[in-house]
Every structure is written in structure tokens, then in C-alpha cells.
Amino acid sequence: TDWALLYNDLNAIGPGPRTVYIDDSLSSPAIIPAGAYDLTNVTLIGAPNSPYAALQVSDGVTFTGFTGASNLYLEFLNSALVETITDSRILTFTNCSIQSGSSAVFEIDNYVTCRVINSFLYGEFTGHPNPALFNVGSSYGINFFLEDQSNIGNDCITGGSGGNIIALFVDASAVVFGTHSGFTGTITKVLSSDSSRVAYFPSSPSD
């Protein structure tokens, strides 16, 4: 129940891959208090006895190296950016529900891949002025890979005219990709399963 103690232990273990299990049966929601945290090579996941554990990220938290979460209800209470992503990393959200505070959570200042598996990325849906999870910088973008019952909620993405979003659907019938009025860049939606329906039968080997 003491994030500061846990974070000190993470640093003591070293820079390699580490997993943090969130168990909100001890205290719900589990809370990350205000502070700056390096989560490079750290996986946040709901404990086996606590699937969809509630994890609340306090206002004043900043991250470095965040790469996603699994089996969590992740609520950001942020009034400012939590992380500006300047490298081409992969974000993975599996069996998660994610909600932002009154500011975008992530500033995207590179090309980022975001894999969303059976997860709901809503942004803030209770009336805050900026509901986005992602604000995409000019000339940068996000490649979304959307699988299973995944939902990118309305206005989850903001950004200017130079930004690019590619949303790759594994199954369009099970995926929702909302409208994003605060994003004025280019959005391209691709149904990946269409590729399995395409066949080419040349009349001769030279065709």
C-alpha cells in the first residue's frame, strides 16, 4: 500500500524488466501519489486475485518510459501532461479501461505504436474541458492496432493539422474508433482482415 516504498524497491532491483502487480483489495483505489517516476521496463498489471484493479494516478504525477498496462482500471487525475513521448516506443493496453483528467495525458512528439487489446480508452467523459488521452504534435503520429472488444472513445485524441493517425482494425465489428473533433490531422482506418479476402491469380507466370 506504500507506492514510495515500492518505487524505491524498483530502483534497487535495477534497470531490467520488472512487473508491478496492483492489488486494490488492500486499498481501493490503489494510488500513485504526486511525483516523478521512471517506469522504463516496468509493467503495471492487475494482480491475479484482483483483475481490473483500480489504479488512480494523482495530479502532479509525471512518468518517464511508460509503456502501457494490463488488467487495470487506470484513472488519471492530471491537470497537466503526465509524459511527453519523444521516442518511437510501443504502448500496449490489454484488458484496461483508461480515463484522463482535465488535460491530455500523453504528448506524442514522435511516431508511436499503440496496441489496444480488449480495452477502452475513453479520455475524460465527465465534462472536463480537455478529454484527450493523447495530444499529437505536428508532423508526428500514432499507429493504433485495435483487437478484440476495443473502444477508442470520442475526443480521445487531439492535435494539429500535421499529425497522422492510422487505425488498424483486426475485426471492425468488435471495435469502436470514435470521432475526434479536436484532431485536425489525417486519420486513416484500415481493416486488416480485408487482406485475407484478396487473391491474385495470374494467367501466366510472367503476369
Side-chain angles (χ1 to χ4, degrees):
T1 59
D2 189 329
W3 174 265
L5 180 60
L6 182 151
Y7 186 70
N8 287 338
D9 288 343
L10 281 177
N11 290 328
I13 292 171
R18 291 149 291 165
T19 299
V20 174
Y21 288 99
I22 306 298
D23 184 353
D24 70 348
S25 69
L26 304 173
S27 178
S28 186
I31 294 175
I32 299 179
Y37 306 106
D38 185 351
L39 297 184
T40 304
N41 293 323
V42 174
T43 300
L44 301 176
I45 185 170
N49 66 308
S50 187
Y52 285 100
L55 177 60
Q56 192 175 83
V57 181
S58 301
D59 191 22
V61 166
T62 58
F63 288 156
T64 303
F66 179 83
T67 56
S70 297
N71 302 329
L72 288 175
Y73 170 62
L74 186 57
E75 181 184 18
F76 290 90
L77 300 181
N78 60 305
S79 61
L81 288 170
V82 174
E83 182 172 3
T84 297
I85 297 177
T86 59
D87 60 316
S88 55
R89 76 183 64 164
I90 298 173
L91 301 173
T92 303
F93 300 101
T94 304
N95 301 325
C96 285
S97 179
I98 304 170
Q99 177 181 345
S100 71
S102 60
S103 165
V105 176
F106 302 106
E107 174 76 19
I108 306 299
D109 283 350
N110 206 312
Y111 279 92
V112 169
T113 296
C114 186
R115 189 177 181 196
V116 184
I117 305 167
N118 194 38
S119 294
F120 298 82
L121 279 59
Y122 286 114
E124 173 54 65
F125 53 86
T126 56
H128 286 310
N130 184 353
L133 279 174
F134 305 100
N135 185 70
V136 179
S138 180
S139 301
Y140 300 116
I142 306 174
N143 296 325
F144 284 98
F145 290 84
L146 306 170
E147 303 178 37
D148 297 333
Q149 301 289 328
S150 291
N151 188 325
I152 308 299
N154 292 338
D155 296 321
C156 188
I157 305 163
T158 57
S161 59
N164 290 280
I165 299 295
I166 297 176
L168 181 67
F169 300 80
V170 173
D171 181 357
S173 66
V175 168
V176 175
F177 190 86
T179 58
H180 306 280
S181 59
F183 181 76
T184 57
T186 301
I187 296 178
T188 303
K189 300 177 183 179
V190 179
L191 179 59
S192 66
S193 60
D194 278 353
S195 62
S196 66
R197 303 171 188 164
V198 176
Y200 173 52
F201 299 98
S203 58
S204 68
S206 62
D207 288 348

